[in-house]
Amino acid sequence: MTATLTHIPGNVSLAELEVLYWDSPAITLDPACRPGVEAAAAVIAKAAALGDPVYGINTGFGKLANTTIAPGDTTALQRNLILSHCCGVGAPLPEKIVRLIMALKLLSLGRGASGVGLELIDLLTAMLAKGITPVVPGQGSVGASGDLAPLAHMTAPMLGEGEASYQGQIMTGGAALKAAGLQHIVLGPKEGLAMINGTQVSTALALAGLFETWRCAVGAIVTGALSTDAIMGSAAPFRPEVQALRGHQGQIDVGLALRALIDGSEIREAHRSDDERVQDPYCIRCQPQVMGACLDVLRFTARTLEVEANAVTDNPLVFTEDGTIVSGGNFHAEPVALAADQIALAIAEVGAIAQRRVALLVDPAMSFGLPAFLSPNPGLNSGFMIAEVTTAALMAENKQMASPCSVDSTPTSANQEDHVSMAAHAARRLLPMAENLANIIGVELLVAAQGVEFRAPLETSKALAKVIARLREDVAPLGDDRVLAPDMAAATRLVHTESMVMSVEPAALPNL
């Protein structure tokens, strides 16, 4: 873990959110937020003392909101809320994701509109600092009213309940706190509701999917340039004048990046004249249009998720200016669900066009002189034949998973919560989809590098030569058939870690 970072609630940038995801640091909130937190908690305490029915303080929840709770039972009310909502199922979310969820919850509570006490915020901060990570099952949220079940599992260890990971071991929440020298808390009025109302699970999963997908998309621009040179494709469709006439920023950026990557290639210069082909297939020629549209979608969703990560999304909300407590609907994760659906579509499309380039390179009828399946001795050897089939399978999986989740609302909680977002699983599918995409891009890296090497003695550009050189540090060229799974895994790691992208000039590539 990196050093502890200090953040101002409501003012966390996308770049800072990336650090929270990739590095999983401990965080603290800017001390300037503490008076606002205390003021909101005082409003809640006053309402609880007066005894008038206020949702979430001295009433039941959801369909039971009309049930008034006796003053002596309000502490049990909040504890029961957490315990009863620990209904998640499925594989636990990765610790990296849970730590991001915890950080996002802190940022939301720190806005001073939730009414929680500083003791709760301080314990959550300490758990991040000491590496106590709640065990949070991944399934069970419909994305309204908040990510109830998974956030309850996140909160339970703070009460000494549930399970948590500490120093590599799974133990009860109480045992984890004790081992780390921390004490569990007793929830005050509204604190349990503030913890489980909110979109932090959906938002964390969507941010993770966004960041992983962006790495893959930028990697696909690099491998797309490599495939273009391997196929002896034309760079003319990438001219900036072509993209300017369309006007979309993503398309402009991709066109510039492709030209910069290919610039100086001897392979490109060798077929400027006397080339029998008039046009390249769309998977080569239309890269700026397809990849650019995907970049634009990812950038749009990035802005949405940046806003959501800084938002207060629990209910009711506390307004310290006039001392009011207002029930609203900020817990409804529709913005996150729609963003996740769009990210899923972008993943599917980046993978679809990359897969077609892989298929193009292994097909001797289309590859402009390259040997069948990029084997130096095809027939006796099958080369990359089945690696291409694997990319087709992964592409198909992603297409099927890209179907929108946000349109599939269903009523819950005895029809009180009659429209829900389905944001949690809309976002949760993004990580396996991004993993599929990384594998597709990894295979393209292998076949495109092999294709360029078959063009010797002609050399590719200096930028793309660096990409091949980085690959060859981990994977040798394919001669006679061998087990390819390790090669594919190594190439995929280069995509995941940005090692392939960092081998070229990063300034030539688009930024999120």
Side-chain angles (χ1 to χ4, degrees):
M1 299 177 189
T2 60
T4 300
L5 303 178
T6 300
H7 290 296
I8 301 172
N11 192 32
V12 179
S13 69
L14 191 68
E16 290 172 317
L17 292 169
E18 281 202 74
V19 173
L20 291 179
Y21 173 63
W22 294 117
D23 298 342
S24 295
I27 74 164
T28 59
L29 301 182
D30 189 305
C33 78
R34 294 177 78 86
V37 170
E38 290 181 302
V43 172
I44 294 295
K46 180 180 179 180
L50 290 174
D52 294 332
V54 181
Y55 178 72
I57 299 174
N58 51 16
T59 71
F61 305 103
K63 193 72 172 180
L64 303 175
N66 293 326
T67 302
T68 302
I69 306 301
D73 291 332
T74 55
T75 296
L77 174 71
Q78 298 299 318
R79 179 180 176 83
N80 289 345
L81 177 67
I82 300 303
L83 300 183
S84 67
H85 282 56
C86 286
C87 294
V89 298
L93 295 175
E95 289 193 16
K96 190 175 189 176
I97 298 295
V98 177
R99 288 182 63 82
L100 180 56
I101 295 167
M102 296 165 73
L104 294 180
K105 178 56 77 174
L106 270 176
L107 294 171
S108 179
L109 298 177
R111 293 285 301 274
S114 300
V116 303
L118 289 175
E119 184 184 12
L120 184 150
I121 286 177
D122 290 342
L123 178 57
L124 192 55
T125 301
M127 289 170 65
L128 275 170
K130 292 180 176 291
I132 298 175
T133 307
V135 175
V136 178
Q139 295 171 271
S141 172
V142 296
S145 102
D147 294 313
L148 297 172
L151 285 174
H153 283 280
M154 185 201 76
T155 306
M158 302 176 72
L159 314 184
E161 301 287 348
E163 290 186 319
S165 171
Y166 180 63
Q167 296 184 343
Q169 294 186 357
I170 303 297
M171 57 189 76
T172 67
L177 291 176
K178 183 177 180 180
L182 300 175
Q183 292 287 330
H184 71 268
I185 61 171
V186 176
L187 294 173
K190 192 190 174 284
E191 288 187 330
L193 187 59
M195 289 300 293
I196 68 172
N197 255 188
T199 67
Q200 286 78 33
V201 174
S202 298
T203 304
L205 286 165
L207 283 168
L210 170 70
F211 298 142
E212 295 283 0
T213 300
W214 185 265
R215 281 195 176 182
C216 291
V218 174
I221 294 171
V222 175
T223 57
L226 200 60
S227 292
T228 300
D229 222 24
I231 211 71
M232 302 189 86
S234 174
F238 309 150
R239 285 177 52 174
E241 301 92 333
V242 175
Q243 323 318 326
L245 285 173
R246 192 76 176 276
H248 295 296
Q249 189 59 52
Q251 178 178 333
I252 292 168
D253 292 345
V254 174
L256 289 172
L258 289 169
R259 286 183 68 84
L261 290 166
I262 296 172
D263 185 53
S265 168
E266 291 181 0
I267 299 173
R268 172 71 192 104
E269 297 303 318
H271 63 96
R272 282 189 181 274
S273 58
D274 300 324
D275 191 328
E276 64 192 39
R277 298 168 298 171
V278 177
Q279 294 178 327
D280 293 316
Y282 289 178
C283 65
I284 298 294
R285 188 177 6 138
C286 297
Q287 290 179 79
Q289 290 77 13
V290 175
M291 291 298 300
C294 292
L295 295 195
D296 284 342
V297 164
L298 293 175
R299 285 167 170 164
F300 173 78
T301 61
R303 302 289 85 77
T304 298
L305 295 175
E306 182 181 32
V307 170
E308 190 74 8
N310 282 283
V312 182
T313 57
D314 68 283
N315 182 62
L317 300 174
V318 181
F319 295 93
T320 56
E321 297 85 352
D322 60 6
T324 57
I325 303 169
V326 181
S327 285
N330 281 4
F331 51 70
H332 200 296
E334 192 76 5
V336 183
L338 291 171
D341 280 346
Q342 292 174 80
I343 295 169
L345 291 171
I347 293 172
E349 282 299 277
V350 174
I353 195 169
Q355 198 283 327
R356 294 320 303 156
R357 292 193 297 267
V358 173
L360 183 70
L361 282 161
V362 301
D363 184 352
M366 299 290 291
S367 62
F368 201 58
L370 295 176
F373 302 105
L374 297 166
S375 171
N377 187 15
L380 178 62
N381 295 285
S382 295
F384 289 99
M385 178 189 294
I386 305 304
E388 185 270 330
V389 172
T390 297
T391 65
L394 297 174
M395 175 188 68
E397 281 189 23
N398 277 357
K399 286 180 179 179
Q400 291 154 15
M401 285 194 284
S403 295
C405 298
S406 57
V407 298
D408 193 20
S409 176
T410 189
T412 62
S413 192
N415 285 299
Q416 175 74 7
E417 298 159 7
D418 58 350
H419 183 279
V420 297
S421 71
M422 300 301 182
H425 67 267
R428 182 164 44 81
R429 67 182 158 162
L430 297 179
L431 288 175
M433 289 183 71
E435 180 66 23
N436 287 345
L437 177 57
N439 277 283
I440 294 171
I441 305 306
V443 172
E444 184 180 16
L445 174 59
L446 293 174
V447 298
Q450 184 98 347
V452 165
E453 290 169 333
F454 273 121
R455 301 297 183 186
L458 297 175
E459 295 184 356
T460 189
S461 67
K462 290 183 179 179
L464 295 179
K466 290 179 181 178
V467 174
I468 296 174
R470 178 63 189 87
L471 173 66
R472 294 300 174 228
E473 291 178 17
D474 297 345
V475 181
L478 182 62
D480 290 336
D481 283 346
R482 62 175 183 255
V483 176
L484 283 178
D487 295 357
M488 293 162 62
T492 300
R493 280 195 298 274
L494 296 180
V495 177
H496 272 311
T497 61
E498 287 191 305
S499 297
M500 173 187 66
V501 169
M502 296 306 294
S503 66
V504 302
E505 177 52 55
L509 299 170
N511 294 313
L512 184 58

